Amino acid sequence: MNDRHSLSGKPVRVLLVDDDEEDYLITRDLLDDIADRSFDLEWVDNYEDGLKGLQLQAHDVYLLDYRLNARSGIELLNNARAAGSLAPIIMLTGQGDPEVDQAALAAGASDYLVKNGLEAATLGRSIRYSLEQSRMLETLAGERSGLALRVEERTRELASSNAKLEKTVDSLTASEEWFRSLVQAVPDVVYKIDPHGCFTFLNDAIHQYGYDKSDLLGKHFSEIIYPEDINNVSREAVVRKACLLKKSDHQSGPFNFKVFDERRRGERSTNGLQLRIRTKAGTPADHVELKPLGNDIAYVEVNSIGMYDSNNNQREYIGTVGVIRSVEERIKAEQEILKAKEAAESANQSKSEFLANMSHEIRTPMNGIIGMTHLALETELDEKQRNYISKAHQSAEYLLGIINDVLDFSKIEAGKMSIESIPFHLSDVIDNMVNLISIRAAERGIRVTTDVSADVPDWLIGDPLRLGQVIINLVSNAVKFSHDGGEVSLQVSLAGRDDVETLLLFSVTDTGIGMNAQEQKRLFQSFSQVDSSTTRKYGGSGLGLAVSKKIVDMMGGNIWVESEKGVGSRFSFTARLKVQPLDAPELAGSEKSRQEHMAKSIASLRGARVLLVEDNEINQELATELLTSHGLIVTAASDGREAMNLLARQAFDGVLMDCQMPVMDGYEATRQIRQTLQLRGLPVIAMTANALADEREKVIEAGMNDYIAKPINVKVMLETIAKWVVPGSGDQPANSAQRVLPNRQENSAAEQSSQEESVRGLAGLRGARVLLVEDNDINQELLVEILSSYGLIVMAANDGREALDMIALHNFDGVLMDCQMPVMDGYEATLQIRRNAQTRELPVIALTANILAEEHDKMVHVGMNDYIAKPVNVKLMLETIAKWIAPGGGNQNGQEEKAAVIPAIPGIDVERGLAMMVFPKTYRKLLINFRDRYGDVEAQFRAAQADKSDPDAPFRLAHSLKGIAGSVCADAVERAAKELESACEAGAPEEMMDALLANVVMSIKPVIKELAVLGEL
């Protein structure tokens, strides 16, 4: 029972709607006097609140005053009932009036009471009566509603059942006709055979094979099967059992139907059984001429299913239904596909041969262009010539990049690209990327940072070339599409690892143009960029990301992009690589020694106090985190002045100094450190994003011990710090003579040993007699020039035949052999060399523009020792030659060095300049260029001032002079040029310009005069 109608239990909730407070107090007292029930009374004094209370129906009983100011309780009662309320409502009035009584009851009141003289007992009875009446009304309404619903539901069920029955009858009536029409319309033969294998049903499609249904009904299936195919039918197939069984041996033989039935139990179908059937004699069949069988054979495929009747839980086989379908068109199509496949394979082979030839034909002249422009840039050029040749050189390298993308894509398409599995340093791959990208980024003021998590292993097994290709492509794109002054970062983290493999996550983030969702969908597709305007503005073939995706797939990873238009992009990819243990055989010897030594050196840095001077908050935070994670104690400053204040208050073991900063830059701060007696010996390591040569020289000139290029590579940074910083050294006396610095040679013994071994190898090439076999005269001239400049004795041949003749007449220490040549190519020539007992051991190194895998296999097959890819990388070429070739006789070491002796020159720190250059010859050449280029700097500057079409010309001239003066260690000239440069940049008055120019001329004239002793190049 509903609590609202209960006369016991919780209090009855009563709402009084009456505009007289005295009536409320009287009603409250009356309810309190009712003994057998407690009440919760609420009171509202106006029509509106009363209506709201009735609509909420939150009370058990409602007491309504007949008069509510200008409104009527009857009106309120009518509105409540109209809203569907069944709550008990008792009408109250001040005077008894039969008409009002009848009106209230007619409107739906449960009772009618006169307030005057109302007693508690009367009110209690009325409430009990009203509650009981409401309960009965609700019960009655519920039962009436339920009964109506049941009647309605049953009526619907009966109507639905009747409709279904009628529909079923109609469906069954039409089903057979529909089925027959369907079966007759099927173009394939539909059949049914009985348990003995005889036809009991055939549709009209049997006519295509020349039969009438009457010809076969009751006949055995075997009568239409081509005899040779009977023995080829599967033993499990229904058709074969029927074919092997004749009507006369139903009860005997290995394949009688009794045995057949037993074998067939539980089998449901036979699919795709191909055989030949006989057509009716004299009726041509539209068949494919696979064999000269005549016109009475058709090729078909049979699909069938057994039928069973269940009786007393026993499944009884009652026959088979199936479909016979002609497959002659399919066989014909398969033959066409086979022919097309053979044609495609032939075309693919032609394409591979074309790629091999084009690789050679394109790369050979590209080698000449890049090499010759490289040599030209090393010669004396005026500014316009250098500009032209430099742009030609850059364009050639850009074109080579596009050619490489196209060839890589073609190799991927042809399935020719493979992934190597060799040991490598991840840090070397990242260093290579930094070296390639940093100059281009620095020219546009783009900060490039690298962040390799401490748990990422450095010594891995995989394909460093292809991994680096993907990283370089992504970082290069990030720089290309970033705005000047933007930021690009490479993060490497560990995504997963087990005992054998590691999954690395690489992410490249930029602040570039970004992409919307629609543009992102077009990425990683061949020849696709965001839009045509992007291609016009930024260039590119649109193949880089497609090639990168293929490479990442081959490395077992995924690649994806997150980007927002106008904000930037993050390209991420994963790569699965094997981890090489430090005790592996591949790490034996110098490499293992270098690893262990450097690990000890880095570990020894723990506790070292380092002052990090960096104005960029992101770089400051990144470097602090990296150094702290390796145990260094880091204090940060945002500019040189703040650094000097910190150095005056506390001791540090070393300083990492950014070069470009506000307030006081790194150069000036370092000079002040070197001028302070207590700090003179403090190691200062530069951090510079400017990878240009003059910036490096400025670092050394300012008194810094070493430099770290940005973006920072963690391994390189720690190794560089380990060379100079010793924990606790900052507490020792600061006098430079007393301060104990780490021995650079000792700290990098393993590394220096490796470098010295490489230098000795290159130096050991001097005097080596090499035969260069190259049919392209430009490449021949280029390689002769390069090799001769390193002291090799070079003779040239134009083809393999000429090379064999020269080898027969002269002794050579090795051969550089082009592969594609007229008369006799490099492969045949190498075979001839290997067949000759006297030349069998002669080192032969291939020169090839074809980098396809099968070309490499061919080189190995003919006996070539190694190969050098075109366009030639000089460093790699010399290292490869040094691996295999050594001079057979005396060398000529020292001759060139004696010729390059440089005397003391007033105004130039020759000793420091020689220490900075690799060879004295290079330094001498730089000094002569300085002399010849700036001998008349005053006239050059005046001409630049007079050129109103180029207002920046004076600044560029002063900047250029400052840079080359620093490179040759002409310190006074550099300082004077720097002052002039600053004045040009600030737009100083003409009088100040004249004074500063006079200072430059005064400092440079004696230097130019002294340089005359060097003669000409």
Side-chain angles (χ1 to χ4, degrees):
M1 180 181 295
N2 193 314
D3 285 345
R4 191 176 72 182
H5 305 128
S6 174
L7 297 180
S8 62
K10 63 183 182 180
V12 176
R13 297 164 297 177
V14 179
L15 176 64
L16 172 65
V17 184
D18 194 319
D19 58 358
D20 190 337
E21 184 178 4
E22 185 177 349
D23 287 345
Y24 159 66
L25 296 174
I26 293 171
T27 303
R28 185 188 65 185
D29 293 340
L30 290 173
L31 291 174
D32 288 343
D33 291 341
I34 298 174
D36 60 349
R37 187 71 180 185
S38 61
F39 298 88
D40 285 340
L41 177 65
E42 291 187 38
W43 170 51
V44 297
D45 62 359
N46 59 76
Y47 178 93
E48 289 75 14
D49 291 340
L51 181 59
K52 290 179 183 177
L54 283 166
Q55 289 174 340
L56 290 174
Q57 298 190 41
H59 299 80
D60 300 315
V61 177
Y62 297 87
L63 304 179
L64 268 65
D65 188 14
Y66 176 71
R67 298 286 183 190
L68 293 172
N69 293 327
R71 308 294 288 271
S72 167
I74 298 294
E75 180 184 353
L76 182 57
L77 177 59
N78 284 328
N79 285 332
R81 293 305 186 211
S85 173
L86 297 177
I89 301 175
I90 301 172
M91 186 67 68
L92 302 177
T93 183
Q95 300 292 332
D97 186 340
E99 292 184 1
V100 174
D101 188 359
Q102 292 177 3
L105 295 175
S110 302
D111 203 354
Y112 177 82
L113 297 177
V114 178
K115 290 189 286 185
N116 291 337
L118 181 63
E119 297 179 352
T122 303
L123 179 58
R125 283 196 300 274
S126 178
I127 290 174
R128 282 194 294 274
Y129 165 76
S130 298
L131 288 172
E132 182 64 21
Q133 181 188 44
S134 176
R135 183 188 67 78
M136 293 174 65
L137 287 174
E138 286 183 0
T139 301
L140 181 61
E143 291 178 351
R144 183 181 300 160
S145 175
L147 180 60
L149 287 173
R150 287 195 295 274
V151 170
E152 182 180 354
E153 183 179 357
R154 185 58 181 160
T155 301
R156 283 198 305 268
E157 288 176 356
L158 291 173
S160 176
S161 297
N162 187 50
K164 287 180 180 179
L165 182 59
E166 291 178 356
K167 186 176 181 181
T168 301
V169 171
D170 292 341
S171 177
L172 289 173
T173 302
S175 178
E176 184 176 359
E177 182 62 30
W178 177 86
F179 177 73
R180 289 182 180 277
S181 299
L182 177 63
V183 170
Q184 295 300 341
V186 172
D188 301 324
V189 175
V190 180
Y191 70 90
K192 178 182 177 184
I193 58 174
D194 63 19
H196 303 296
C198 298
F199 289 111
T200 60
F201 173 82
L202 289 159
N203 68 344
D204 292 342
I206 194 65
H207 296 157
Q208 65 185 295
Y209 300 107
Y211 296 103
D212 288 329
K213 287 187 279 188
S214 59
D215 294 332
L216 296 178
L217 289 174
K219 300 290 180 65
H220 211 273
F221 201 120
S222 62
E223 296 187 18
I224 67 169
I225 297 180
Y226 188 68
E228 290 183 5
D229 286 356
I230 292 178
N231 293 328
N232 296 330
V233 178
S234 170
R235 292 176 62 88
E236 286 76 27
V238 177
V239 176
R240 181 179 187 277
K241 304 305 183 291
C243 294
L244 292 174
L245 182 67
K246 296 181 181 178
K247 294 182 180 180
S248 59
D249 26 308
H250 283 179
Q251 305 302 322
S252 62
F255 296 106
N256 62 44
F257 270 107
K258 182 177 179 181
V259 176
F260 165 68
D261 289 347
E262 291 173 355
R263 291 181 177 176
R264 282 294 298 165
R265 295 189 189 282
E267 296 180 10
R268 294 298 299 157
S269 64
T270 297
N271 296 317
L273 179 64
Q274 293 191 23
L275 62 149
R276 292 168 289 182
I277 64 172
R278 295 187 295 189
T279 61
K280 191 171 182 180
T283 304
D286 183 17
H287 67 277
V288 179
E289 294 181 358
L290 299 179
K291 292 182 180 180
L293 298 174
N295 291 331
D296 59 346
I297 299 298
Y299 290 82
V300 298
E301 178 181 272
V302 177
N303 295 280
S304 65
I305 186 167
M307 297 187 301
Y308 300 86
D309 185 17
S310 297
N311 186 15
N312 297 326
N313 295 325
Q314 296 295 320
R315 297 178 72 238
E316 179 183 2
Y317 173 65
I318 60 174
T320 296
V321 293
V323 175
I324 300 173
R325 173 174 296 170
S326 173
V327 294
E328 297 193 349
E329 288 299 323
R330 188 174 74 190
I331 292 174
K332 184 178 180 180
E334 288 173 353
Q335 289 181 330
E336 294 297 328
I337 291 172
L338 183 60
K339 291 179 183 178
K341 180 175 177 291
E342 292 173 351
E345 289 175 346
S346 176
N348 194 49
Q349 179 63 30
S350 299
K351 177 182 175 182
S352 296
E353 293 173 359
F354 172 78
L355 278 176
N357 291 331
M358 288 306 297
S359 175
H360 177 267
E361 294 300 326
I362 294 174
R363 285 171 174 270
T364 296
M366 285 301 299
N367 181 55
I369 295 170
I370 293 174
M372 287 300 183
T373 51
H374 170 77
L375 289 176
L377 289 170
E378 295 296 315
T379 64
E380 178 64 25
L381 301 169
D382 62 33
E383 189 171 348
K384 182 179 290 187
Q385 290 170 332
R386 183 168 298 278
N387 179 46
Y388 290 162
I389 296 177
S390 176
K391 288 179 178 177
H393 187 74
Q394 292 172 5
S395 298
E397 290 184 330
Y398 174 72
L399 178 57
L400 180 62
I402 294 176
I403 292 169
N404 287 337
D405 281 346
V406 173
L407 290 174
D408 278 345
F409 179 74
S410 300
K411 284 193 290 183
I412 291 170
E413 235 186 7
K416 301 293 185 182
M417 178 175 281
S418 59
I419 296 294
E420 284 192 307
S421 184
I422 60 174
F424 71 94
H425 288 294
L426 177 62
S427 57
D428 290 342
V429 174
I430 296 176
D431 286 347
N432 183 51
M433 178 277 293
V434 170
N435 291 336
L436 291 173
I437 300 298
S438 56
I439 293 180
R440 193 189 329 162
E443 288 172 347
R444 296 178 52 204
I446 295 174
R447 290 180 179 269
V448 181
T449 61
T450 63
D451 179 11
V452 182
S453 297
D455 56 354
V456 172
D458 186 55
W459 186 244
L460 301 167
I461 297 178
D463 193 328
L465 177 65
R466 295 303 178 189
L467 178 63
Q469 184 177 348
V470 177
I471 295 173
I472 290 169
N473 178 260
L474 296 182
V475 177
S476 177
N477 283 346
V479 171
K480 179 165 65 173
F481 292 108
S482 287
H483 306 295
D484 290 357
E487 293 192 4
V488 173
S489 66
L490 166 66
Q491 293 94 26
V492 187
S493 59
L494 192 64
R497 181 174 182 176
D498 56 28
D499 293 338
V500 179
E501 287 187 331
T502 181
L503 184 67
L504 298 185
L505 171 63
F506 299 81
S507 296
V508 177
T509 307
D510 65 59
T511 56
I513 60 177
M515 295 167 286
N516 58 37
Q518 193 65 30
E519 291 168 340
Q520 292 175 43
K521 292 179 181 178
R522 294 198 290 272
L523 292 179
F524 308 113
Q525 297 176 8
S526 307
F527 307 102
S528 173
Q529 287 192 331
V530 171
D531 57 37
S532 58
S533 62
T534 301
T535 306
R536 289 194 298 271
K537 181 176 180 181
Y538 297 99
S541 63
L543 281 175
L545 288 177
V547 171
S548 295
K549 184 179 187 306
K550 294 290 186 181
I551 293 173
V552 169
D553 290 343
M554 295 175 73
M555 291 192 295
N558 296 302
I559 187 168
W560 65 94
V561 63
E562 304 160 80
S563 184
E564 184 177 347
K565 191 76 171 180
V567 176
S569 304
R570 177 187 289 113
F571 282 82
S572 302
F573 73 93
T574 55
R576 197 170 296 279
L577 301 163
K578 291 183 180 179
V579 181
Q580 182 74 11
L582 284 175
D583 58 354
E586 291 84 346
L587 275 174
S590 62
E591 178 56 39
K592 184 176 181 180
S593 174
R594 189 184 77 83
Q595 286 270 325
E596 292 175 347
H597 182 84
M598 190 49 62
K600 290 178 182 177
S601 298
I602 293 174
S604 70
L605 287 174
R606 291 189 174 276
R609 296 161 299 180
V610 174
L611 176 59
L612 172 65
V613 191
E614 168 65 70
D615 64 311
N616 183 277
E617 293 181 4
I618 296 175
N619 285 345
Q620 188 183 99
E621 180 181 350
L622 173 62
T624 300
E625 181 180 346
L626 292 173
L627 295 171
T628 304
S629 69
H630 285 83
L632 285 81
I633 302 169
V634 182
T635 302
S638 298
D639 57 65
R641 182 173 298 168
E642 185 180 348
M644 294 304 299
N645 292 336
L646 286 168
L647 287 168
R649 295 197 303 269
Q650 59 189 97
F652 293 97
D653 302 315
V655 180
L656 297 182
M657 183 77 74
D658 187 23
C659 293
Q660 303 293 336
M661 294 181 293
V663 185
M664 181 188 291
D665 64 21
Y667 305 114
E668 181 58 32
T670 303
R671 291 189 185 98
Q672 291 193 18
I673 289 172
R674 295 296 175 240
Q675 292 166 5
T676 304
L677 180 63
Q678 292 78 9
L679 301 175
R680 194 169 294 164
L682 182 66
V684 180
I685 301 170
M687 298 189 299
T688 175
N690 191 338
L692 301 178
D694 59 342
E695 185 75 10
R696 300 176 198 156
E697 305 311 327
K698 284 177 63 177
V699 163
I700 303 301
E701 187 274 335
M704 299 179 185
N705 299 78
D706 212 328
Y707 73 94
I708 301 168
K710 296 180 182 178
I712 291 173
N713 177 286
V714 180
K715 173 174 168 289
V716 173
M717 176 177 69
L718 292 172
E719 289 179 356
T720 305
I721 295 173
K723 292 177 187 178
W724 300 99
V725 175
V726 173
S729 60
D731 297 326
Q732 300 174 17
N735 185 288
S736 61
Q738 297 172 314
R739 184 182 178 92
V740 179
L741 289 177
N743 188 314
R744 188 168 184 169
Q745 284 78 18
E746 292 176 1
N747 265 7
S748 57
E751 179 180 356
Q752 183 172 347
S753 173
S754 174
Q755 292 174 347
E756 288 176 352
E757 183 179 348
S758 176
V759 171
R760 284 195 300 271
L762 296 180
L765 287 175
R766 293 182 180 276
R769 297 182 297 273
V770 174
L771 175 61
L772 171 65
V773 191
E774 169 65 69
D775 64 310
N776 184 283
D777 55 351
I778 297 177
N779 282 344
Q780 190 181 101
E781 180 185 349
L782 169 67
L783 292 172
V784 168
E785 173 76 16
I786 292 173
L787 294 172
S788 299
S789 70
Y790 282 89
L792 285 81
I793 302 170
V794 186
M795 295 182 69
N798 296 309
D799 57 66
R801 171 56 59 197
E802 189 175 329
L804 293 175
D805 293 341
M806 294 180 71
I807 289 172
L809 296 174
H810 304 281
N811 290 326
F812 294 102
D813 299 313
V815 180
L816 300 184
M817 182 77 74
D818 188 21
C819 293
Q820 306 291 339
M821 294 181 293
V823 185
M824 179 186 290
D825 64 22
Y827 303 115
E828 180 60 30
T830 304
L831 281 173
Q832 300 265 1
I833 291 171
R834 295 295 176 242
R835 289 170 183 161
N836 188 327
Q838 294 180 338
T839 59
R840 188 171 295 157
E841 302 302 322
L842 182 65
V844 179
I845 301 173
L847 291 168
T848 178
N850 190 340
I851 53 177
L852 298 178
E854 58 265 29
E855 196 74 10
H856 180 268
D857 295 339
K858 196 172 179 182
M859 295 173 199
V860 174
H861 176 71
V862 301
M864 293 178 171
N865 299 79
D866 211 329
Y867 75 95
I868 298 167
K870 296 179 184 178
V872 168
N873 178 303
V874 176
K875 178 176 177 293
L876 292 178
M877 177 180 71
L878 293 172
E879 289 177 353
T880 304
I881 294 173
K883 271 191 346 188
W884 299 100
I885 297 175
N891 59 46
Q892 299 174 358
N893 285 347
Q895 293 182 9
E896 184 178 358
E897 298 305 320
K898 292 177 182 177
V901 171
I902 300 175
I905 299 172
I908 294 180
D909 189 343
V910 174
E911 183 178 356
R912 180 157 55 88
L914 285 170
M916 289 162 46
M917 297 295 159
V918 178
F919 296 110
K921 179 181 177 182
T922 305
Y923 186 43
R924 178 177 177 275
K925 181 178 179 180
L926 188 62
L927 288 169
I928 294 172
N929 284 339
F930 174 69
R931 178 197 68 193
D932 295 344
R933 189 170 182 177
Y934 297 106
D936 194 9
V937 69
E938 182 176 12
Q940 294 176 38
F941 192 83
R942 294 298 186 196
Q945 285 181 312
D947 186 0
K948 302 303 181 183
S949 64
D950 187 2
D952 293 330
F955 170 80
R956 287 201 308 274
L957 179 60
H959 177 78
S960 176
L961 175 61
K962 179 193 70 173
I964 195 168
S967 297
V968 300
C969 299
D971 298 339
V973 178
E974 181 189 16
R975 286 193 295 272
K978 183 178 180 180
E979 292 174 355
L980 181 59
E981 175 194 36
S982 300
C984 291
E985 188 174 22
E990 187 175 348
E991 297 79 7
M992 181 181 290
M993 290 278 204
D994 291 342
L996 293 173
L997 177 59
N999 189 29
V1000 169
V1001 172
M1002 184 173 64
S1003 62
I1004 199 172
K1005 269 191 174 182
V1007 175
I1008 297 296
K1009 182 179 179 181
E1010 294 292 339
L1011 285 174
V1013 70
L1014 297 180
E1016 300 299 326
L1017 284 174

